[in-house]
Amino acid sequence: NYNPADWVMKVALTNTTEELEDAGFYPMDQRDLPEAPTALDALTSTTSSQQHQRKAGLRMQFDSLWARELKNLVRNTHPLKARTAM
């Protein structure tokens, strides 16, 4: 019964970081990644789908939360039984 994670842990615990770097244990990342967007870009850029979205009203939020609580009550009846027993 062989677990590769055990071997990785053994290597990591028995060798120093410098030895592992010299041996090529950490491969170099050679991906060609695009430049990451800045926080300002994320705040100022809007797509067409974001421009037309509306927030859910109070009634919709209440209905959604109520439906979720009822589903949870049906799935897990132990808290209800505990509350009514006290």
Side-chain angles (χ1 to χ4, degrees):
N1 193 8
Y2 175 72
N3 187 352
D6 292 337
W7 175 79
V8 171
M9 289 300 296
K10 181 181 178 188
V11 170
L13 293 173
T14 57
N15 298 303
T16 65
T17 306
E18 291 80 18
E19 290 173 347
L20 294 174
E21 284 177 356
D22 293 340
F25 193 73
Y26 304 117
M28 293 296 296
D29 186 8
Q30 298 180 4
R31 296 177 289 175
D32 187 24
L33 300 174
E35 187 176 328
T38 63
L40 183 60
D41 292 339
L43 291 175
T44 57
S45 67
T46 57
T47 62
S48 60
S49 64
Q50 290 174 337
Q51 292 173 351
H52 298 292
Q53 287 181 351
R54 290 180 23 190
K55 291 185 177 180
L58 185 61
R59 174 68 187 204
M60 175 59 96
Q61 292 179 24
F62 180 78
D63 289 345
S64 298
L65 289 172
W66 184 251
R68 184 180 72 187
E69 287 300 319
L70 285 178
K71 286 179 188 174
N72 288 337
L73 182 64
V74 170
R75 290 179 187 152
N76 187 9
T77 58
H78 296 295
L80 177 66
K81 292 175 185 174
R83 277 187 237 136
T84 55
M86 292 182 174

